[in-house]
Amino acid sequence: MRTLRKDIVISERSQAQFRNLTDFCVGTGRVDLAMQQEYQEQLRAVQDACHFRYIRGHGLFSDQMGICQVHKDAEGNRHTEYCFTYLDRTVDAWRETGLRPFLELGFMPAALTDSPNTIFYWNAHTAPPRDMDEWTALVKATLRHLVHRYGEEEVSLWPCEVWNEPNLSGFWENADKQKYLELYRATVLAVKEVLPGMKVGGPAICGGTGSQEWISDFLAFCRDGKIPVDFVTRHAYLGQTPERRGRYLYQQMAPVSVLIEEMRRSREIIDSFPEFRGMPMYITEFNTSYNPFCPIHDTNLNAVICAALLGSLGDVSDGYSYWTFGDVFEEQGIPPRCFHGGFGLIANGLIVKPTLWAFSFFAGLKGKCVYRDDCAVLVRRPDGGYEGVLWNLCEDGEKTLEITLTVPMEHEAAVLMERVDERTCNPLRAWHVMGEPEDLNSEQLAFLRAAGQPSAEILKAEIQDGTATVRLTLDRNALMRIRILPAERRSGAGYDYSYYCED
Amino acid sequence: MRTLRKDIVISERSQAQFRNLTDFCVGTGRVDLAMQQEYQEQLRAVQDACHFRYIRGHGLFSDQMGICQVHKDAEGNRHTEYCFTYLDRTVDAWRETGLRPFLELGFMPAALTDSPNTIFYWNAHTAPPRDMDEWTALVKATLRHLVHRYGEEEVSLWPCEVWNEPNLSGFWENADKQKYLELYRATVLAVKEVLPGMKVGGPAICGGTGSQEWISDFLAFCRDGKIPVDFVTRHAYLGQTPERRGRYLYQQMAPVSVLIEEMRRSREIIDSFPEFRGMPMYITEFNTSYNPFCPIHDTNLNAVICAALLGSLGDVSDGYSYWTFGDVFEEQGIPPRCFHGGFGLIANGLIVKPTLWAFSFFAGLKGKCVYRDDCAVLVRRPDGGYEGVLWNLCEDGEKTLEITLTVPMEHEAAVLMERVDERTCNPLRAWHVMGEPEDLNSEQLAFLRAAGQPSAEILKAEIQDGTATVRLTLDRNALMRIRILPAERRSGAGYDYSYYCED
Amino acid sequence: MRTLRKDIVISERSQAQFRNLTDFCVGTGRVDLAMQQEYQEQLRAVQDACHFRYIRGHGLFSDQMGICQVHKDAEGNRHTEYCFTYLDRTVDAWRETGLRPFLELGFMPAALTDSPNTIFYWNAHTAPPRDMDEWTALVKATLRHLVHRYGEEEVSLWPCEVWNEPNLSGFWENADKQKYLELYRATVLAVKEVLPGMKVGGPAICGGTGSQEWISDFLAFCRDGKIPVDFVTRHAYLGQTPERRGRYLYQQMAPVSVLIEEMRRSREIIDSFPEFRGMPMYITEFNTSYNPFCPIHDTNLNAVICAALLGSLGDVSDGYSYWTFGDVFEEQGIPPRCFHGGFGLIANGLIVKPTLWAFSFFAGLKGKCVYRDDCAVLVRRPDGGYEGVLWNLCEDGEKTLEITLTVPMEHEAAVLMERVDERTCNPLRAWHVMGEPEDLNSEQLAFLRAAGQPSAEILKAEIQDGTATVRLTLDRNALMRIRILPAERRSGAGYDYSYYCED
Amino acid sequence: MRTLRKDIVISERSQAQFRNLTDFCVGTGRVDLAMQQEYQEQLRAVQDACHFRYIRGHGLFSDQMGICQVHKDAEGNRHTEYCFTYLDRTVDAWRETGLRPFLELGFMPAALTDSPNTIFYWNAHTAPPRDMDEWTALVKATLRHLVHRYGEEEVSLWPCEVWNEPNLSGFWENADKQKYLELYRATVLAVKEVLPGMKVGGPAICGGTGSQEWISDFLAFCRDGKIPVDFVTRHAYLGQTPERRGRYLYQQMAPVSVLIEEMRRSREIIDSFPEFRGMPMYITEFNTSYNPFCPIHDTNLNAVICAALLGSLGDVSDGYSYWTFGDVFEEQGIPPRCFHGGFGLIANGLIVKPTLWAFSFFAGLKGKCVYRDDCAVLVRRPDGGYEGVLWNLCEDGEKTLEITLTVPMEHEAAVLMERVDERTCNPLRAWHVMGEPEDLNSEQLAFLRAAGQPSAEILKAEIQDGTATVRLTLDRNALMRIRILPAERRSGAGYDYSYYCED
């Protein structure tokens, strides 16, 4: 394998551009799953590590959430009542972990449509409403309830996105653009009627042929109709032509730069509208593969691709949301075993996947950026130390990365490293070697949980002439957090580490 | 209101018949709901008070549980895989609260039937399997998985009931008795193939015209076909002709004695088969109304009816299971507000209903029975004190009940009373006076939780001639636990309660 | 018993003076006890009900806290090291329940004095320091450590009081005023050297002969010496001449008005110094008896005395601190049984005492005061309802209090009452009737915990001509919270409470 | 560094002697510290890993526990009352983590002696009782209380040891053997009077000159006086001549074999008494150094010494108890920083030390021993796999240990390794490199906790001719758990690990 050597030299005056929006938002499976215990435990674990601020998922108006309750009276007449029992439990569960909803207004309650079209294992209805007034009544009642419960000031901070991927016929009957625009108009007006300060956006498209055109058509429609719009949303996935085997899906990944360019193009379209120049653009879903049974999601490769994305997405957008935080997820059926290629940062059984660490390490990067390239981001910490995330993504062939890092440092310093690579932090491989068991006993579970933790290494920095030099080696698909921290000796009188240990 | 006075005199030699099976089993909403946080909190609260041993509910094989997972491969071929992810979470949740499953084998996975017939908000499929072998394969695979995870010794302790209320066409297509008997035969043989020691029974019928005949036909079928059967199951509800208003259902209740007689008749049918004489009969569901939107379930009246039932059901059966422990329940849709007439012993929001106390008080009755009538059960406690449950059910007209209770007691004694009546422990009334709010703020919630706690009263027993005499008044629909405990003075030297307080 | 009838009529324009400082501060046993599990549980329970903001207790520099660690080296030389292990655990424990320290700088570490004088079971050293510089070095090192750990901004919010009750020779050797003033001077200068923004005060005296003179001497000393002082502190107890029996102490209580006048006199002394006019005066300890084995603390009488104090203390001070929140307390030895007359709002075993409810009810009184007298405080709530605390303190003879309360109310209203009186919420009496057991089994413990909860009563207000009228009866030593809240009917279609219940 | 190569070949018939008593008992700091939150958290963490059955510590009758409460009445007369408040909290805390007390009856309450002699920071009184009857009254009252609270059956399972290290004058005034024997006689008779079934033993000596003679004198005394004795206890430490620097103590360690021989000698002395042949001998304390400020306790060296001891101590004793489980410990003062050489398996701040893993790995060794030497113990697991603990203790010079391990294995197998060595699991070194900080911020704490976790490695075993061969390298002071488990492939149809990962 070839070796790439790189010297990174930081001075007191170094600076670099880097917009860190890692903690903006994260995706979730069907929103009512938030009532489940396993979901809540996974979310707590993710939040302890990543501290996301918003959460976005499908199914707000689907029947599992039960907001539209239909029943017949003694005479057989159909009555619709709104029921917010599950909505409250869902939002409460999110708020307990410090999250606010990024509301996605969809899908259609079965009661509001006559179309049989559905998507997913859980039968999400994908047709426009039979009667737009029934839909807007539902939207308004829901928002009013939220305001009653959480207060207008709070709810006004929750962004609202209209529908999901209407440019796919699976998600929106016939991918009918005109009907989507009508839905958007009616919905945004309903929202603003209840909460004028709430931010609303669309068109929530995924990529593919004609997708950029949806953005320009959407904005032209808003401009021409003087329809409110506060932000533009779209999705970003790297997966190429899929291959299916059994219930699993395999795909090669496009280069990160290709996806960044696609996003930049959307940004330019928005900015080409004088009225909308600089309007926020949110990538409300991103990931490698768009399929929840694609084994890549559980790998170290996935982690370094995400690291590369987190290093760049702030250049072309105002927020992005990994799809999804956990593996309590039912779109293609219930996950049959801990590793099955689910989207989650954490696997069922509370086994952390490598990708979680990409988000955790980036979320922790506070301070002024001093260096950024395609395998590293480094910041100067408020406490005078340095912190960085480094990764080795081998898009153009396998390599070992050897980095010599030099930072200004007057006195002794400790170098704290957390390493996530195929050898040190790879629970998928551990599970594979175990024989890919379906049902984990407590011994296996404990081992897999331990196998998902980064190795914690520490070394003394070599200090010379006011600089600390650190030599790092990253194997293929390795991810690393490094912190270089001043280490003034403070021990008690008489304490001598070297009596029993080599210094 | 008239007053009924009663003297109960207990001597050292008093004894009475009373078979206390209160803690045998309790019902639950659709079993996969066990994965929800609110469900688990309600169950913990109920178990802290009642300590049930088994739990029984519907939906083991319904699609929400996701055991039968169907997916298409690249060529579009349908494949069935078994997935036990949710089963494991469900059973684990029960076991964490000390419960074992009383397995109900049903309903039909959508994938195993072509019939469109379903029941409930959550679309339980009610038709026989397209292919009986697919069904028995499912049953066997499920049991094998349980054995693998929990061990054969443990799983053999879990009773198995085949289907639910097949004598109703809503639950079993056409209420086809012959098809049920075939289902039973195939199922029991499948179970015994995997776990010869597992106990299996049926026919799980509800009451109504022809129901007793189902029992005799079922037993004759087993006898004639030499088909294994370990116990007989049936249900017991008191609700009479219903009246529907909106989504709510109202019904008058039959007298408790009528229901007891109906159960006794079933018992006699079983015993009329020489082969099955003395075989256990379990009442796998009982309650007042059979509807989850019947307001009676939240009342003090419900509590005293249940007290009367708990006093008598042990005479005519070998176990009974209140339907259900909590209000996380979806059969007729999602409960829209805390009080809506749900079955639960505890309401959503963790508000305890009066009926919980009937179960809690009875579950605590340990020791030798010294007295039983239609408004009281009293036992001699292992520690030498006395304990009783008393209630005032006014089936034949409102009355106040005044009881003078005399028990043997040498020295000082404390009388501990916990009172649950319409004035002291009636959260439904509190909610009604609050205006029946849909969404409770934290102040309302705290008050309702407090309003669901019994008042704790204490008094010194009057001791005379080796007996303690206690006078008790029970208003309409009052329920009370009383404990008379020896109270030897043990205070520290110099401690004088009477300095600041009247003795 | 005589009956006192009172009409309270509130109009839209009613207002009254009432300064509610209930949540300002609460006392604690020796501060290092905060590391104990039982202490933390009691504190959580108290904070859930009362939400205090500061906590103050003795022993910061006592040996149990271990800040001054002395050890000998190989040659036998004495070395002093500061050790903040326990200080950190203590402060962390407080902060976890939302509390900030109100620092009391004392007592003397054994290592800093040669005097054998100590106080309490735990041997608090009460002499001045051998060398004032050793003392100020300790103070400064401690504050520097706190700043390092919690930040300057945060620690500057923690008030600092110098020593405790130096006007008693038990607490300060010889009650030597001159030496106290020297201690104060050295200490305040040390504090301000580290944290100029920290507020510092004294002289932390208790009442008794000559106590007011301490205040004037202290202020004159500060004025003349230009010594910083930010607030004045003193204590307030109602107990009169004590009578001791065994380890218990009994005393009659002075009228509340006498104590208020004593505080007012201190206030006037402060204001008589032009330089210090309006300077905050904090009552850093108050209670009925000053002894932790005085049975009054566990009674309902104690609760209503405290209610009367909470109604008035805001007139004469700027903050007050009940001594103490819980019964993890060792000054006179370890509490041998749950009820022993300890200071706590909550007894060992997490049994709530009546007095907790006085603090909880007052702490909840938010809004504009509309009425205050010697048995009631009423406020208009932000939500348009009314809330009040009422009590029946019988200083001039037993009476029943009958109150007719009228408030403006347009529509239906619910009256929520929580009653704490000798019959409904009196765990001490329950324990007494049980025989005053030393060791509680789980059944007894559960009953006593239930017996410490207020009864939750509710009734519909009678509405007439835009006013709601409520009739209340308070027995001797009764305490009550009442809330009158609008109750608009919001129930679902078809729901009929009256089908099974009388309305 | 030299390398030692070793081949270990296991066959189906292999067997070896190994008596695993790892989980028998563990030591604790002063018993009342069990009331502290940090103590309880450390104990839970230790128990999750090690599952000890008994716990033993000093101070049952010391004043911090407060069982002997002395107070004066109004006339100044001294009264003694027993107070079990803290005893109950202490025992409850242990029982909540699954532990039973191994009672050590000592030290002397201040109230029962006139001697000023004390030991430790917390002033444990070390003199015989003024009046033996006061002492036995205390012992009997305490046992009676325990029986009242926990039941006779339970308390009879708790062994009782009389005093601690009476052969040291620091612990027992003048190390007076005759007075100890008198204490033993009086105490054992008192215990047996209350609980005839309780097991009692002594003389609880430490090693050193004349210590073995104490055992023979003790047994002769019992034999001659027909005094009950159920077991013999002694201590075992490896530390040689100490050197003190500041408050820290340094010592070289004797070889493990020397200590084993010393224990064997004690065993032989017991067996030389025909009456006592085979009587249990418990090592109620063992460790490397006997000083709680000796830095060795925090090292990897300590872990491998303990591994060697755990491999051998079962040959010469019937139970042993590591001194101590955690670092909440005050004998020589309060620990000033996380690493200070405390005895604990876990450091303050919940940082796991390497030694914990020696206990955890050994505690998990279930099954038939197939191999044991001075660096490895291997067992055949009940599930057909193999499990072992290996270590590299370099008593005779540094070396690397290379082990080739061969076990019978038919099919695929996974090799799970957990490695604890100076590079991979060494929180002490991490703290040292950080600059030995006194006060840890949350970032440092998180890193140190991670640094205390073993690395979890996994590899596929090479299978050939029905055997699996594994090659292992252990660096100096390395400790390792290895599990070789059958790994039958069970993955779902279509799942292909190798698509994204190298197999």
Side-chain angles (χ1 to χ4, degrees), chain C residues 261-310:
Chain C
E261 282 317 300
E262 192 184 350
M263 297 302 112
R264 196 185 302 279
R265 179 70 197 121
S266 295
R267 176 75 260 172
E268 290 166 356
I269 291 170
I270 300 166
D271 290 343
S272 71
F273 287 77
E275 303 81 354
F276 301 136
R277 189 175 184 79
M279 169 178 285
M281 168 178 138
Y282 299 132
I283 300 169
T284 48
E285 290 183 17
F286 80 99
N287 205 324
T288 52
S289 167
Y290 50 72
N291 186 282
F293 281 93
C294 178
I296 194 173
H297 294 122
D298 306 331
T299 67
N300 292 80
L301 169 60
N302 203 75
V304 292
I305 295 175
C306 285
L309 285 167
L310 293 174

Side-chain angles (χ1 to χ4, degrees), chain A residues 13 103 126 326:
Chain A
R13 297 184 317 280
L103 293 170
T126 56

